[in-house]
Amino acid sequence: MDTVVTRKSKKNKYLLIAVPAFLALGFAGYTVATKERSLNVKASEISIKTVETAYFEDFIVFQATVEPMRSTLLNVVEGGSIQEIFASNGDMVTKGQPLARLYNPNSELNYMTQETSIIEQINNLNKARLDLSNQELSMSKDLIAIEHDYQDAKNLYDLNEKLYKQEILSKNEWEKTQENFRFQKERKKIIQQTMQREKAANRQQSAQMAQSLAVMQKSLDILRNNKKNFLVTAPLTGRLTSFEPVLGKNYTTGESIGKIDVMQGYKLVAEIDEFYLPRVSANQKGKIDYKGEELNVVVTKVIPEVKKGRFIAELNFVTDKPINIEQGLSFGVRLMLSEKAKTTVIPRGSFDDVTGGKWIIVVNGNKAVRKDITLGRENPVYNEVLSGLKAGEKVITSNYNDYKEVKVLNIEE
C-alpha cells in the first residue's frame, strides 16, 4: 500500500530563516543606538585642570588712558578762515593769551552795518533828550516873563487901589487895572499848571529814553566785544593740546580747534564693554601696575551712555604721594566687583564657548565622561562652580569643538 508523503512548504522554510536574521539585525541596531559615542584623543591635545576650593575675586580687567583731571575745549565762536596762528600744539599758555586769529569779511561787514545803525539810533535819542531839555528851558523863560508881568500887574493893582480909594484915580482906570491883574493872575496859574504837566510827561519820556539808550549802549558794547571773537584766546592757563589749525582753512562756529589741559592732577578714562554696565558703579576700587609698583584707583564717574557696545568710566588715583605720570599712557586696570569669597572654582578655558557652561568633560584615569554642571560668576582667571563638580576632580578645559556629540573620551598617552 502506498504511503502519502506531505510536501514541505518553501514559505515556511524562508520564514524560519528570516525571523532569526531580523532579530539579530534588530539587536545589533539597538546596541549601536544605545552605545555611548566615544572618541580616542591624545593627552597632549587636551588641557586638563583640577577643580579646587579657593578665594574667588569677582573682578574685570580693562584698559584705561591717562588724561588731565580738568580740561576745556577751544571752540570757534565766530566762524571764518584762519588768518594768523600765535601758538603751537603742546605749548604752555596763560589765560587770555592769543592763540589764533580768524577772518570773515561777511561778518565784518555785518558788524559794521549793525554798529552804524545802533550809533545812529543813539544819536537820535540823544537829540530827542536835548530837545526836551530845550523845551523845558524855553518854558522856564516864558514863566519868568509871565511872573514878571504878573508882579508888575500886582504892583500897579496895589498902587491904583490906594489912589482909587483916595479918589485920585478914575473908576475907569481902576477897572482896567483890576482886569489886567486878574488876567495876569489867571495866565500865571494856567502856565504853571501846563509846565507841571509838561515836566511830568518829559520826566517819563526822558526815563524811557534813558532805558533805551542803556539797552542800545549795551548792545553796542556786546557787538564790539563780538568783533573780538575772531581772536581765539586761551580761556584758562594750561597745556595746549590737539591744537592743529591750518592757515586759510575755514572753521564753522562752534567747531573745536584744540583743547587746554589744566596741569593739576590726572585721572584714568576707560571704555568698558556694555556687558559690565550694570556691575560697574562709583566708589568701586581697583589696582594698576606702574613701574613695578601697585597703585590703587577708584571709580569716580560712570557715564551710562553706550556707544558702539561700550560705555565710559572715570577713575582717580588713591595716593598721598605725587605721581610722575605722563598724559596718554595706557594701563590695565583690575577692578574689584565684589569682596573675596571662598568657593569651588575651575580655571578659565575655551570649553564654555561650546557648552555655554552647562556641561563639562570630567577625567577619570584614561577615560573622560560628559557631565552636567552649573557655573556662576567668572573673572579672567576662574569660573565659579555652583553645582555638578567638587574639589579635586579633573576636567578638560580646552576647546570642545570636536566633542559636541561625544559622551566618552579615551585618553591615550
Side-chain angles (χ1 to χ4, degrees), residues 108-122:
E108 285 277 5
L109 180 61
N110 185 45
Y111 280 139
M112 291 178 62
T113 303
Q114 291 183 56
E115 186 175 16
T116 302
S117 176
I118 293 174
I119 291 174
E120 184 178 354
Q121 292 180 58
I122 290 175

Side-chain angles (χ1 to χ4, degrees), residues 302-319:
V302 176
I303 302 174
E305 182 182 6
V306 176
K307 293 182 179 179
K308 296 181 180 179
R310 308 183 77 80
F311 68 95
I312 293 176
E314 295 182 1
L315 304 95
N316 283 355
F317 293 96
V318 183
T319 177

Side-chain angles (χ1 to χ4, degrees), residues 42-313:
K42 292 183 179 180
S44 59
E45 296 176 353
I46 59 176
S47 177
I48 300 176
K49 302 291 183 181
T50 302
V51 181
E52 56 185 296
T53 299
Y55 283 100
F56 179 85
E57 285 184 302
D58 192 7
F59 68 92
I60 57 174
V61 177
F62 52 82
Q63 290 296 116
T65 304
V66 177
E67 292 189 6
M69 190 72 71
R70 180 186 168 204
S71 60
T72 183
L73 290 174
L74 285 174
N75 293 329
V76 173
V77 179
E78 189 67 52
S81 59
I82 296 292
Q83 190 177 39
E84 295 179 272
I85 300 174
F86 308 115
S88 300
N89 192 39
D91 288 352
M92 292 297 298
V93 296
T94 56
K95 183 177 181 180
Q97 178 179 335
L99 305 178
R101 184 187 301 278
L102 295 94
Y103 178 69
N104 188 327
N106 292 330
S107 295
E108 285 277 5
L109 180 61
N110 185 45
Y111 280 139
M112 291 178 62
T113 303
Q114 291 183 56
E115 186 175 16
T116 302
S117 176
I118 293 174
I119 291 174
E120 184 178 354
Q121 292 180 58
I122 290 175
N123 290 337
N124 290 338
L125 282 174
N126 283 328
K127 183 177 181 302
R129 292 183 72 185
L130 182 61
D131 290 343
L132 286 178
S133 179
N134 290 335
Q135 183 182 354
E136 286 192 10
L137 182 60
S138 177
M139 291 181 68
S140 296
K141 289 180 180 179
D142 292 342
L143 182 60
I144 291 173
I146 290 169
E147 285 181 343
H148 180 268
D149 292 344
Y150 167 77
Q151 193 63 41
D152 285 347
K154 184 176 184 304
N155 292 337
L156 183 61
Y157 177 86
D158 293 339
L159 176 62
N160 287 346
E161 184 181 19
K162 293 177 181 179
L163 294 175
Y164 179 73
K165 288 179 178 179
Q166 294 175 3
E167 297 181 353
I168 298 174
L169 186 68
S170 66
K171 183 178 180 181
N172 185 41
E173 287 295 325
W174 170 238
E175 288 177 350
K176 287 181 179 180
T177 301
Q178 286 181 313
E179 178 60 23
N180 183 54
F181 178 62
R182 184 196 65 77
F183 169 75
Q184 294 296 341
K185 186 177 181 180
E186 289 294 326
R187 181 188 178 197
K188 178 185 175 183
K189 181 179 177 181
I190 292 172
I191 293 298
Q192 285 178 333
Q193 290 175 350
T194 302
M195 282 194 66
Q196 288 177 354
R197 289 194 298 269
E198 288 291 333
K199 283 184 177 181
N202 289 350
R203 281 195 298 268
Q204 184 178 2
Q205 192 172 356
S206 181
Q208 292 174 349
M209 288 181 180
Q211 290 178 353
S212 299
L213 279 170
V215 171
M216 289 183 183
Q217 188 60 53
K218 186 176 180 180
S219 299
L220 185 61
D221 293 339
I222 292 174
L223 183 67
R224 287 171 174 170
N225 284 330
N226 286 344
K227 292 174 69 176
K228 299 177 183 178
N229 289 334
F230 289 114
L231 182 65
V232 180
T233 60
L236 41 80
T237 300
R239 177 178 291 163
L240 189 61
T241 59
S242 303
F243 184 70
E244 298 177 352
V246 180
L247 283 173
K249 182 178 178 180
N250 193 64
Y251 291 87
T252 59
T253 301
E255 186 174 354
S256 176
I257 61 171
K259 187 173 67 170
I260 292 182
D261 298 329
V262 181
M263 312 310 289
Q264 296 177 350
Y266 294 93
K267 62 184 177 181
L268 291 172
V269 178
E271 291 187 359
I272 306 174
D273 191 281
E274 63 181 324
F275 173 80
Y276 296 104
L277 180 56
R279 305 182 66 192
V280 177
S281 59
N283 300 319
Q284 286 179 329
K285 298 177 181 178
K287 298 180 183 295
I288 66 167
D289 291 323
Y290 178 60
K291 293 183 178 180
E293 183 181 359
E294 197 173 65
L295 299 180
N296 294 320
V297 295
V298 62
V299 178
T300 56
K301 183 190 294 185
V302 176
I303 302 174
E305 182 182 6
V306 176
K307 293 182 179 179
K308 296 181 180 179
R310 308 183 77 80
F311 68 95
I312 293 176

Side-chain angles (χ1 to χ4, degrees), residues 371-396:
K371 188 177 184 181
D372 291 337
I373 61 171
T374 304
L375 298 182
R377 298 170 296 175
E378 64 180 44
N379 62 32
V381 181
Y382 292 113
N383 283 104
E384 181 185 25
V385 179
L386 300 180
S387 66
L389 294 173
K390 58 185 179 180
E393 289 187 293
K394 295 184 180 299
V395 295
I396 297 175

